[in-house]
Amino acid sequence: MLLSLLFICLLAAGLLAKVNDMTEKPISDAKALKLEEAIKNVVPPFDNNPVNESYKVATEKGDSLIVYPAKKGDDVVGFAVNSYSDDGFAGNIQVMVGFDTQDNVVNYAVLAHAETPGLGSQMVDWFKPQVQELSLIEKIFGFEIKKTETKSSIIGKSPGTTNFSVSKDGGDIDAISASTITSRAFLEAVNKAYAAYTQSENYTSTGATIVPEEDATEIKE
Amino acid sequence: MENKLVVSPSPHVHSGDTIAKNMYGVLIALVPAFLVSLYVFGLNALILTVASVLFCVITEYVIQRYMLKRIPTIADGSAIITGILLAFNVPSNLPLWILAIGAIAAIGIGKMSFGGLGNNIFNPALLGRVFLLISFPTQMTSWPLPSTMAPVDGATAATVLENMKYNPEALSSVSDMFFGLESGSIGEMSAMALLLGLIYMLWKRIITWHIPVSILVTVGLFTASIYLFDPSPANNPLIHLLSGGLLLGAIFMATDYATSPLSKNGMLIYGVGIGVVTVCIRLWGAYPEGVSFAILLMNALTPLINMYVKPKRFGEVVKNV
Amino acid sequence: MTKNIRILINGVVKDNPVFVLLLGMCPTLATTSSAINGMSMGLATMFVLVCSNLVIASLKNFIPDLVRIPAFIVIIATFVTIVEMVMNAYLPALADSLGIFIPLIVVNCIVLGRAEAFAAKNTVLSSLFDGVGIGLGFTLALTLLGVVREFMGSGRMFSVSFFPEDFGVTLFILAPGAFIALGYLVAIFNKLQRK
């Protein structure tokens, strides 16, 4: 009795060890790829490995955010900041926000959230420029159901010059209708990312990032 | 009269009470609230109410006639009441197609799936409303300001309960709430009109006082006790009593025959339960309003209450106390 | 052979695990928010079911009665772990969206139920057909439920948009919609089967 159970367990362990061996590398590759994809989506094209060059920046609250610098050759082309907010409607929201060297938001990606589907979950696309995706009946019958226009996009704007808070609070961004709390939390995360990025070691107060000397003069001309 | 001798089972003495008579009594009680909504929201309220009734009656007819192949019973008025109550529970600018989905959910899922009138566990109108609230939260929670006080047409505003939760400085005055001059669903506006309906139904003995009074007293006492410790406007018992769908729910929804307990004591337990859950959701829950969820929850517990709190059998003598 | 074919068809129709036996409700309700999720969950379960049925049927004389349940669980858990690792390695996005429900196949009562009720008493070949049949029934049921919920909830079917998402009834993507849709599907299935 004991022997047969032992035998089955041994067999199972052997099989699992073999499969684990085979999948260990693909799993870690897939994880790294996921992070890399998220960074690639939010900053201008780069050719370095931002994950290897990432560093932590302390925030005012005493915790820290991870900043991923994106470089092309030796020039810094942008930063991706992994930011978060705990004030979402359903708690924690994780966002990856990308900035170019002029402080403008290039793009963002929501990495993790638990907001209400259909309401708060709209933040995944809400703060990007609207794209109209045609559904099948619209294609077949050749009409378009227009979405209502909002000024909700944060892409291409800088938190330094635009007030990144919801219009209800006097800001310049339209909140997701019926999800003001989620919108506030999301914008808080973006502002936090911006604060961390401006404090990061590669950032200079002129709004441009460290540029080799000769290049800097070129820009002035 | 071919059949002179009619043999029927008991009861042989009938009080003349029928489903239809009670239902039309409820309809009359709803008239004051409907008039206020017409005054406040204008034509929109009329269109939505009529459409909602039509959708509900048509759904019931189609299901009974073509799916169940029974003789339709739409004339008993219960589908009409469901339609009106559903319309009373939505914002006045709700698109009609959403209302139609709500009517199908209310009658199809809430009522006919369980076997029709009397077999339904949940109040159909409330089920339809919660179905819409979860499915179309954006449309269900943008409340247009009453046309009498909106600066521009189509302006929306937060309801009293939303303000209570997120913006306590902007609370409406108690008298505005009593007469119905705040933003909200079509039928929940005026406390006065709803109370008139309550008085009519008590006078006509369509309902007893137990459920509405126990709900209102529970909410009042619960919020008052919290108000004693933390006297912020968000805990003001008077505002809690007058705001949102509490009166509409306590008077017209919780008292639905099929989904509330049978005995007087059971009704009191049921009412207290609704009151406690409502206040808990309002103060600590994710939604600003909790009456619908509270009533549906207690609907689900009604069979349990009926099991433990049995009504006195007819002819039963109370044993010596 | 006709007997085996009948076992296979029984698994899909007469003993359909979801619509008739009402087993494995947890993954059925939780993972069917879209058609592709439902189908993947069904296929993963089917793989585990077929493998564990095969192994258990071939080892049935070797496993003593007293420890058969622990032995079955070890075998099932092994295959579930394999599925999980392979999915994490090659389909990370899918593994993310199915999340905890892949490891939870271990406690899916369909798998242990078929091991105990069928594989432990029948030949290897019949057990194979039973595993494929039940697995197929489970996959079809989950896909159907996923299609219904995705279509009603967001106007899509296998990610192809049929009508604008704004007209979708979000409730169907959420948990209550799973119960409602499943209830009506069971009712329709029973009605069709009685004919």
Side-chain angles (χ1 to χ4, degrees), chain A residues 162-207:
Chain A
T162 314
N163 186 354
F164 271 25
S165 54
V166 296
S167 10
K168 223 182 229 177
D169 302 344
D172 298 326
I173 308 293
D174 276 350
I176 306 168
S177 16
S179 312
T180 314
I181 297 178
T182 307
S183 310
R184 277 188 193 135
F186 175 83
L187 292 172
E188 183 210 322
V190 174
N191 285 327
K192 213 187 258 181
Y194 176 69
Y197 146 73
T198 49
Q199 283 160 23
S200 77
E201 52 198 81
N202 290 6
Y203 180 81
T204 56
S205 57
T206 56

mmCIF file of all heavy atoms in Angstrom, chain A residues 162-207:
data_model
loop_
_atom_site.group_PDB
_atom_site.id
_atom_site.type_symbol
_atom_site.label_atom_id
_atom_site.label_comp_id
_atom_site.label_asym_id
_atom_site.label_seq_id
_atom_site.Cartn_x
_atom_site.Cartn_y
_atom_site.Cartn_z
ATOM 1 N N THR A 162 -0.167 71.178 -18.026
ATOM 2 C CA THR A 162 -1.602 70.889 -17.978
ATOM 3 C C THR A 162 -1.941 70.428 -16.566
ATOM 4 O O THR A 162 -1.148 69.731 -15.937
ATOM 5 C CB THR A 162 -1.949 69.761 -18.970
ATOM 6 O OG1 THR A 162 -1.312 70.037 -20.195
ATOM 7 C CG2 THR A 162 -3.429 69.658 -19.172
ATOM 8 N N ASN A 163 -3.082 70.838 -16.077
ATOM 9 C CA ASN A 163 -3.493 70.416 -14.740
ATOM 10 C C ASN A 163 -4.114 69.019 -14.822
ATOM 11 O O ASN A 163 -5.242 68.853 -15.263
ATOM 12 C CB ASN A 163 -4.485 71.417 -14.164
ATOM 13 C CG ASN A 163 -4.831 71.099 -12.727
ATOM 14 O OD1 ASN A 163 -4.413 70.071 -12.192
ATOM 15 N ND2 ASN A 163 -5.599 71.981 -12.091
ATOM 16 N N PHE A 164 -3.334 68.030 -14.393
ATOM 17 C CA PHE A 164 -3.803 66.654 -14.473
ATOM 18 C C PHE A 164 -4.695 66.316 -13.288
ATOM 19 O O PHE A 164 -4.341 65.539 -12.418
ATOM 20 C CB PHE A 164 -2.606 65.691 -14.505
ATOM 21 C CG PHE A 164 -2.107 65.412 -15.890
ATOM 22 C CD1 PHE A 164 -2.301 66.309 -16.913
ATOM 23 C CD2 PHE A 164 -1.441 64.215 -16.171
ATOM 24 C CE1 PHE A 164 -1.838 66.056 -18.190
ATOM 25 C CE2 PHE A 164 -0.977 63.953 -17.446
ATOM 26 C CZ PHE A 164 -1.171 64.880 -18.458
ATOM 27 N N SER A 165 -5.882 66.942 -13.249
ATOM 28 C CA SER A 165 -6.874 66.463 -12.293
ATOM 29 C C SER A 165 -8.227 66.598 -12.969
ATOM 30 O O SER A 165 -8.348 67.285 -13.992
ATOM 31 C CB SER A 165 -6.814 67.256 -10.984
ATOM 32 O OG SER A 165 -6.933 68.630 -11.244
ATOM 33 N N VAL A 166 -9.253 65.945 -12.431
ATOM 34 C CA VAL A 166 -10.529 65.898 -13.137
ATOM 35 C C VAL A 166 -11.192 67.272 -13.148
ATOM 36 O O VAL A 166 -10.997 68.077 -12.238
ATOM 37 C CB VAL A 166 -11.483 64.858 -12.517
ATOM 38 C CG1 VAL A 166 -10.909 63.477 -12.655
ATOM 39 C CG2 VAL A 166 -11.756 65.170 -11.068
ATOM 40 N N SER A 167 -11.976 67.526 -14.194
ATOM 41 C CA SER A 167 -12.577 68.850 -14.362
ATOM 42 C C SER A 167 -13.449 69.234 -13.168
ATOM 43 O O SER A 167 -13.588 70.399 -12.833
ATOM 44 C CB SER A 167 -13.391 68.917 -15.656
ATOM 45 O OG SER A 167 -13.554 67.674 -16.239
ATOM 46 N N LYS A 168 -14.030 68.244 -12.518
ATOM 47 C CA LYS A 168 -14.852 68.509 -11.343
ATOM 48 C C LYS A 168 -14.032 69.184 -10.243
ATOM 49 O O LYS A 168 -14.542 69.979 -9.478
ATOM 50 C CB LYS A 168 -15.414 67.179 -10.826
ATOM 51 C CG LYS A 168 -16.867 67.234 -10.417
ATOM 52 C CD LYS A 168 -17.288 65.884 -9.889
ATOM 53 C CE LYS A 168 -18.588 65.438 -10.543
ATOM 54 N NZ LYS A 168 -18.970 64.091 -10.101
ATOM 55 N N ASP A 169 -12.734 68.834 -10.178
ATOM 56 C CA ASP A 169 -11.861 69.426 -9.164
ATOM 57 C C ASP A 169 -11.092 70.622 -9.717
ATOM 58 O O ASP A 169 -10.094 71.044 -9.145
ATOM 59 C CB ASP A 169 -10.845 68.384 -8.659
ATOM 60 C CG ASP A 169 -11.531 67.173 -8.076
ATOM 61 O OD1 ASP A 169 -12.734 67.281 -7.792
ATOM 62 O OD2 ASP A 169 -10.875 66.131 -7.918
ATOM 63 N N GLY A 170 -11.507 71.135 -10.874
ATOM 64 C CA GLY A 170 -10.832 72.289 -11.442
ATOM 65 C C GLY A 170 -9.682 71.937 -12.352
ATOM 66 O O GLY A 170 -8.898 72.793 -12.728
ATOM 67 N N GLY A 171 -9.563 70.677 -12.733
ATOM 68 C CA GLY A 171 -8.467 70.263 -13.599
ATOM 69 C C GLY A 171 -8.833 70.363 -15.068
ATOM 70 O O GLY A 171 -9.873 70.900 -15.434
ATOM 71 N N ASP A 172 -7.962 69.836 -15.920
ATOM 72 C CA ASP A 172 -8.159 69.955 -17.367
ATOM 73 C C ASP A 172 -8.555 68.641 -18.024
ATOM 74 O O ASP A 172 -8.624 68.547 -19.238
ATOM 75 C CB ASP A 172 -6.863 70.453 -18.033
ATOM 76 C CG ASP A 172 -6.493 71.830 -17.524
ATOM 77 O OD1 ASP A 172 -7.428 72.599 -17.242
ATOM 78 O OD2 ASP A 172 -5.301 72.107 -17.387
ATOM 79 N N ILE A 173 -8.768 67.611 -17.241
ATOM 80 C CA ILE A 173 -9.048 66.298 -17.821
ATOM 81 C C ILE A 173 -10.469 65.887 -17.457
ATOM 82 O O ILE A 173 -10.878 66.017 -16.302
ATOM 83 C CB ILE A 173 -8.058 65.241 -17.279
ATOM 84 C CG1 ILE A 173 -6.607 65.708 -17.460
ATOM 85 C CG2 ILE A 173 -8.287 63.893 -17.936
ATOM 86 C CD1 ILE A 173 -6.161 65.795 -18.892
ATOM 87 N N ASP A 174 -11.225 65.411 -18.449
ATOM 88 C CA ASP A 174 -12.578 64.933 -18.174
ATOM 89 C C ASP A 174 -12.519 63.559 -17.517
ATOM 90 O O ASP A 174 -11.857 62.659 -18.015
ATOM 91 C CB ASP A 174 -13.380 64.825 -19.479
ATOM 92 C CG ASP A 174 -13.990 66.159 -19.861
ATOM 93 O OD1 ASP A 174 -13.934 67.073 -19.018
ATOM 94 O OD2 ASP A 174 -14.483 66.290 -20.985
ATOM 95 N N ALA A 175 -13.243 63.428 -16.418
ATOM 96 C CA ALA A 175 -13.255 62.138 -15.727
ATOM 97 C C ALA A 175 -14.134 61.149 -16.483
ATOM 98 O O ALA A 175 -14.991 61.542 -17.275
ATOM 99 C CB ALA A 175 -13.785 62.319 -14.306
ATOM 100 N N ILE A 176 -13.901 59.876 -16.253
ATOM 101 C CA ILE A 176 -14.787 58.840 -16.782
ATOM 102 C C ILE A 176 -16.164 59.081 -16.183
ATOM 103 O O ILE A 176 -16.284 59.249 -14.970
ATOM 104 C CB ILE A 176 -14.295 57.438 -16.362
ATOM 105 C CG1 ILE A 176 -12.843 57.235 -16.749
ATOM 106 C CG2 ILE A 176 -15.184 56.357 -16.946
ATOM 107 C CD1 ILE A 176 -12.217 56.007 -16.127
ATOM 108 N N SER A 177 -17.218 59.131 -17.018
ATOM 109 C CA SER A 177 -18.524 59.425 -16.445
ATOM 110 C C SER A 177 -18.906 58.348 -15.443
ATOM 111 O O SER A 177 -18.742 57.163 -15.704
ATOM 112 C CB SER A 177 -19.597 59.551 -17.533
ATOM 113 O OG SER A 177 -19.151 59.010 -18.732
ATOM 114 N N ALA A 178 -19.402 58.794 -14.312
ATOM 115 C CA ALA A 178 -19.838 57.935 -13.213
ATOM 116 C C ALA A 178 -18.691 57.179 -12.553
ATOM 117 O O ALA A 178 -18.924 56.255 -11.799
ATOM 118 C CB ALA A 178 -20.932 56.952 -13.655
ATOM 119 N N SER A 179 -17.436 57.547 -12.853
ATOM 120 C CA SER A 179 -16.317 56.911 -12.162
ATOM 121 C C SER A 179 -15.280 57.954 -11.772
ATOM 122 O O SER A 179 -14.099 57.812 -12.071
ATOM 123 C CB SER A 179 -15.644 55.857 -13.031
ATOM 124 O OG SER A 179 -16.580 55.021 -13.601
ATOM 125 N N THR A 180 -15.739 58.997 -11.089
ATOM 126 C CA THR A 180 -14.814 60.072 -10.718
ATOM 127 C C THR A 180 -13.709 59.571 -9.798
ATOM 128 O O THR A 180 -12.562 60.004 -9.902
ATOM 129 C CB THR A 180 -15.590 61.204 -10.035
ATOM 130 O OG1 THR A 180 -16.748 61.478 -10.806
ATOM 131 C CG2 THR A 180 -14.758 62.451 -9.932
ATOM 132 N N ILE A 181 -14.056 58.643 -8.928
ATOM 133 C CA ILE A 181 -13.060 58.168 -7.960
ATOM 134 C C ILE A 181 -11.915 57.461 -8.666
ATOM 135 O O ILE A 181 -10.735 57.719 -8.405
ATOM 136 C CB ILE A 181 -13.738 57.232 -6.944
ATOM 137 C CG1 ILE A 181 -14.776 58.027 -6.170
ATOM 138 C CG2 ILE A 181 -12.711 56.620 -6.007
ATOM 139 C CD1 ILE A 181 -15.544 57.220 -5.180
ATOM 140 N N THR A 182 -12.278 56.575 -9.613
ATOM 141 C CA THR A 182 -11.249 55.886 -10.371
ATOM 142 C C THR A 182 -10.388 56.883 -11.133
ATOM 143 O O THR A 182 -9.160 56.776 -11.151
ATOM 144 C CB THR A 182 -11.892 54.903 -11.364
ATOM 145 O OG1 THR A 182 -12.779 54.057 -10.657
ATOM 146 C CG2 THR A 182 -10.840 54.076 -12.067
ATOM 147 N N SER A 183 -11.045 57.882 -11.762
ATOM 148 C CA SER A 183 -10.307 58.865 -12.539
ATOM 149 C C SER A 183 -9.329 59.634 -11.659
ATOM 150 O O SER A 183 -8.186 59.867 -12.036
ATOM 151 C CB SER A 183 -11.267 59.850 -13.198
ATOM 152 O OG SER A 183 -12.288 59.162 -13.865
ATOM 153 N N ARG A 184 -9.791 60.023 -10.478
ATOM 154 C CA ARG A 184 -8.901 60.736 -9.555
ATOM 155 C C ARG A 184 -7.708 59.868 -9.213
ATOM 156 O O ARG A 184 -6.561 60.333 -9.226
ATOM 157 C CB ARG A 184 -9.657 61.071 -8.260
ATOM 158 C CG ARG A 184 -10.477 62.324 -8.378
ATOM 159 C CD ARG A 184 -11.050 62.718 -7.015
ATOM 160 N NE ARG A 184 -12.071 63.736 -7.215
ATOM 161 C CZ ARG A 184 -13.251 63.732 -6.621
ATOM 162 N NH1 ARG A 184 -13.568 62.773 -5.786
ATOM 163 N NH2 ARG A 184 -14.122 64.692 -6.862
ATOM 164 N N ALA A 185 -7.959 58.613 -8.901
ATOM 165 C CA ALA A 185 -6.871 57.717 -8.506
ATOM 166 C C ALA A 185 -5.893 57.543 -9.656
ATOM 167 O O ALA A 185 -4.672 57.580 -9.467
ATOM 168 C CB ALA A 185 -7.445 56.368 -8.078
ATOM 169 N N PHE A 186 -6.427 57.376 -10.860
ATOM 170 C CA PHE A 186 -5.562 57.184 -12.012
ATOM 171 C C PHE A 186 -4.663 58.398 -12.216
ATOM 172 O O PHE A 186 -3.451 58.289 -12.377
ATOM 173 C CB PHE A 186 -6.409 56.943 -13.268
ATOM 174 C CG PHE A 186 -5.596 56.863 -14.521
ATOM 175 C CD1 PHE A 186 -4.982 55.682 -14.891
ATOM 176 C CD2 PHE A 186 -5.422 57.979 -15.322
ATOM 177 C CE1 PHE A 186 -4.215 55.619 -16.030
ATOM 178 C CE2 PHE A 186 -4.648 57.925 -16.465
ATOM 179 C CZ PHE A 186 -4.046 56.738 -16.824
ATOM 180 N N LEU A 187 -5.274 59.599 -12.169
ATOM 181 C CA LEU A 187 -4.489 60.811 -12.383
ATOM 182 C C LEU A 187 -3.488 61.022 -11.248
ATOM 183 O O LEU A 187 -2.389 61.529 -11.466
ATOM 184 C CB LEU A 187 -5.419 62.018 -12.535
ATOM 185 C CG LEU A 187 -6.244 61.968 -13.825
ATOM 186 C CD1 LEU A 187 -7.275 63.067 -13.852
ATOM 187 C CD2 LEU A 187 -5.346 62.057 -15.050
ATOM 188 N N GLU A 188 -3.873 60.597 -10.053
ATOM 189 C CA GLU A 188 -2.932 60.678 -8.938
ATOM 190 C C GLU A 188 -1.694 59.834 -9.244
ATOM 191 O O GLU A 188 -0.554 60.265 -9.029
ATOM 192 C CB GLU A 188 -3.602 60.176 -7.655
ATOM 193 C CG GLU A 188 -2.718 60.283 -6.420
ATOM 194 C CD GLU A 188 -3.019 59.203 -5.396
ATOM 195 O OE1 GLU A 188 -4.193 58.859 -5.218
ATOM 196 O OE2 GLU A 188 -2.047 58.708 -4.795
ATOM 197 N N ALA A 189 -1.931 58.643 -9.789
ATOM 198 C CA ALA A 189 -0.811 57.761 -10.128
ATOM 199 C C ALA A 189 0.068 58.404 -11.201
ATOM 200 O O ALA A 189 1.301 58.348 -11.133
ATOM 201 C CB ALA A 189 -1.338 56.406 -10.602
ATOM 202 N N VAL A 190 -0.575 59.060 -12.192
ATOM 203 C CA VAL A 190 0.208 59.693 -13.251
ATOM 204 C C VAL A 190 1.033 60.850 -12.686
ATOM 205 O O VAL A 190 2.225 60.997 -12.985
ATOM 206 C CB VAL A 190 -0.719 60.197 -14.381
ATOM 207 C CG1 VAL A 190 0.073 60.980 -15.413
ATOM 208 C CG2 VAL A 190 -1.430 59.032 -15.037
ATOM 209 N N ASN A 191 0.405 61.654 -11.833
ATOM 210 C CA ASN A 191 1.136 62.766 -11.232
ATOM 211 C C ASN A 191 2.292 62.281 -10.372
ATOM 212 O O ASN A 191 3.364 62.883 -10.350
ATOM 213 C CB ASN A 191 0.181 63.626 -10.390
ATOM 214 C CG ASN A 191 -0.703 64.487 -11.271
ATOM 215 O OD1 ASN A 191 -0.281 64.923 -12.330
ATOM 216 N ND2 ASN A 191 -1.943 64.697 -10.844
ATOM 217 N N LYS A 192 2.052 61.185 -9.680
ATOM 218 C CA LYS A 192 3.096 60.593 -8.851
ATOM 219 C C LYS A 192 4.266 60.160 -9.733
ATOM 220 O O LYS A 192 5.432 60.368 -9.394
ATOM 221 C CB LYS A 192 2.502 59.390 -8.121
ATOM 222 C CG LYS A 192 3.080 59.147 -6.759
ATOM 223 C CD LYS A 192 2.539 57.844 -6.219
ATOM 224 C CE LYS A 192 1.436 58.069 -5.207
ATOM 225 N NZ LYS A 192 0.942 56.776 -4.690
ATOM 226 N N ALA A 193 3.907 59.561 -10.870
ATOM 227 C CA ALA A 193 4.953 59.125 -11.797
ATOM 228 C C ALA A 193 5.753 60.323 -12.286
ATOM 229 O O ALA A 193 6.991 60.287 -12.366
ATOM 230 C CB ALA A 193 4.321 58.393 -12.980
ATOM 231 N N TYR A 194 5.040 61.416 -12.573
ATOM 232 C CA TYR A 194 5.713 62.624 -13.062
ATOM 233 C C TYR A 194 6.651 63.183 -11.995
ATOM 234 O O TYR A 194 7.799 63.549 -12.280
ATOM 235 C CB TYR A 194 4.662 63.670 -13.437
ATOM 236 C CG TYR A 194 5.237 64.991 -13.873
ATOM 237 C CD1 TYR A 194 5.923 65.089 -15.081
ATOM 238 C CD2 TYR A 194 5.119 66.124 -13.080
ATOM 239 C CE1 TYR A 194 6.460 66.291 -15.488
ATOM 240 C CE2 TYR A 194 5.654 67.327 -13.481
ATOM 241 C CZ TYR A 194 6.328 67.415 -14.692
ATOM 242 O OH TYR A 194 6.862 68.596 -15.096
ATOM 243 N N ALA A 195 6.154 63.205 -10.735
ATOM 244 C CA ALA A 195 6.980 63.725 -9.647
ATOM 245 C C ALA A 195 8.244 62.886 -9.501
ATOM 246 O O ALA A 195 9.357 63.414 -9.355
ATOM 247 C CB ALA A 195 6.182 63.723 -8.348
ATOM 248 N N ALA A 196 8.063 61.572 -9.568
ATOM 249 C CA ALA A 196 9.220 60.692 -9.422
ATOM 250 C C ALA A 196 10.195 60.896 -10.577
ATOM 251 O O ALA A 196 11.413 60.938 -10.390
ATOM 252 C CB ALA A 196 8.754 59.239 -9.377
ATOM 253 N N TYR A 197 9.642 61.093 -11.761
ATOM 254 C CA TYR A 197 10.485 61.234 -12.943
ATOM 255 C C TYR A 197 11.263 62.542 -12.905
ATOM 256 O O TYR A 197 12.451 62.589 -13.228
ATOM 257 C CB TYR A 197 9.589 61.112 -14.176
ATOM 258 C CG TYR A 197 9.955 61.928 -15.378
ATOM 259 C CD1 TYR A 197 11.059 61.574 -16.161
ATOM 260 C CD2 TYR A 197 9.194 63.027 -15.748
ATOM 261 C CE1 TYR A 197 11.385 62.317 -17.278
ATOM 262 C CE2 TYR A 197 9.515 63.765 -16.850
ATOM 263 C CZ TYR A 197 10.615 63.417 -17.623
ATOM 264 O OH TYR A 197 10.936 64.146 -18.715
ATOM 265 N N THR A 198 10.616 63.628 -12.450
ATOM 266 C CA THR A 198 11.350 64.895 -12.389
ATOM 267 C C THR A 198 12.437 64.860 -11.331
ATOM 268 O O THR A 198 13.404 65.616 -11.408
ATOM 269 C CB THR A 198 10.405 66.075 -12.070
ATOM 270 O OG1 THR A 198 9.618 65.723 -10.949
ATOM 271 C CG2 THR A 198 9.511 66.396 -13.244
ATOM 272 N N GLN A 199 12.255 63.982 -10.324
ATOM 273 C CA GLN A 199 13.289 63.902 -9.297
ATOM 274 C C GLN A 199 14.377 62.900 -9.638
ATOM 275 O O GLN A 199 15.348 62.754 -8.906
ATOM 276 C CB GLN A 199 12.659 63.486 -7.964
ATOM 277 C CG GLN A 199 11.931 64.617 -7.276
ATOM 278 C CD GLN A 199 10.954 64.084 -6.266
ATOM 279 O OE1 GLN A 199 11.113 62.968 -5.790
ATOM 280 N NE2 GLN A 199 9.945 64.875 -5.960
ATOM 281 N N SER A 200 14.158 62.177 -10.730
ATOM 282 C CA SER A 200 15.108 61.105 -11.015
ATOM 283 C C SER A 200 16.460 61.686 -11.396
ATOM 284 O O SER A 200 16.579 62.831 -11.823
ATOM 285 C CB SER A 200 14.576 60.220 -12.132
ATOM 286 O OG SER A 200 14.747 60.861 -13.366
ATOM 287 N N GLU A 201 17.494 60.880 -11.251
ATOM 288 C CA GLU A 201 18.863 61.385 -11.375
ATOM 289 C C GLU A 201 19.211 61.845 -12.791
ATOM 290 O O GLU A 201 20.076 62.689 -12.983
ATOM 291 C CB GLU A 201 19.847 60.305 -10.915
ATOM 292 C CG GLU A 201 19.626 58.963 -11.587
ATOM 293 C CD GLU A 201 20.309 57.834 -10.815
ATOM 294 O OE1 GLU A 201 19.752 57.349 -9.803
ATOM 295 O OE2 GLU A 201 21.401 57.468 -11.230
ATOM 296 N N ASN A 202 18.521 61.311 -13.802
ATOM 297 C CA ASN A 202 18.844 61.700 -15.163
ATOM 298 C C ASN A 202 18.129 62.964 -15.614
ATOM 299 O O ASN A 202 18.292 63.421 -16.726
ATOM 300 C CB ASN A 202 18.453 60.579 -16.142
ATOM 301 C CG ASN A 202 19.362 59.392 -15.980
ATOM 302 O OD1 ASN A 202 20.194 59.379 -15.080
ATOM 303 N ND2 ASN A 202 19.191 58.404 -16.830
ATOM 304 N N TYR A 203 17.317 63.523 -14.714
ATOM 305 C CA TYR A 203 16.475 64.630 -15.126
ATOM 306 C C TYR A 203 17.132 65.961 -14.785
ATOM 307 O O TYR A 203 17.705 66.139 -13.725
ATOM 308 C CB TYR A 203 15.128 64.534 -14.405
ATOM 309 C CG TYR A 203 14.168 65.623 -14.752
ATOM 310 C CD1 TYR A 203 13.423 65.544 -15.921
ATOM 311 C CD2 TYR A 203 14.008 66.729 -13.924
ATOM 312 C CE1 TYR A 203 12.537 66.544 -16.242
ATOM 313 C CE2 TYR A 203 13.124 67.726 -14.245
ATOM 314 C CZ TYR A 203 12.386 67.625 -15.412
ATOM 315 O OH TYR A 203 11.496 68.613 -15.730
ATOM 316 N N THR A 204 17.105 66.912 -15.719
ATOM 317 C CA THR A 204 17.609 68.248 -15.412
ATOM 318 C C THR A 204 16.457 69.225 -15.420
ATOM 319 O O THR A 204 15.460 69.021 -16.120
ATOM 320 C CB THR A 204 18.647 68.692 -16.454
ATOM 321 O OG1 THR A 204 18.041 68.605 -17.729
ATOM 322 C CG2 THR A 204 19.872 67.822 -16.409
ATOM 323 N N SER A 205 16.576 70.286 -14.675
ATOM 324 C CA SER A 205 15.433 71.153 -14.410
ATOM 325 C C SER A 205 14.926 71.877 -15.652
ATOM 326 O O SER A 205 13.849 72.439 -15.656
ATOM 327 C CB SER A 205 15.790 72.175 -13.332
ATOM 328 O OG SER A 205 16.917 72.904 -13.771
ATOM 329 N N THR A 206 15.707 71.873 -16.745
ATOM 330 C CA THR A 206 15.248 72.586 -17.933
ATOM 331 C C THR A 206 14.145 71.836 -18.653
ATOM 332 O O THR A 206 13.601 72.333 -19.633
ATOM 333 C CB THR A 206 16.395 72.771 -18.926
ATOM 334 O OG1 THR A 206 16.940 71.485 -19.218
ATOM 335 C CG2 THR A 206 17.470 73.652 -18.369
ATOM 336 N N GLY A 207 13.861 70.665 -18.191
ATOM 337 C CA GLY A 207 12.817 69.910 -18.867
ATOM 338 C C GLY A 207 13.413 68.929 -19.843
ATOM 339 O O GLY A 207 12.736 68.037 -20.328
#
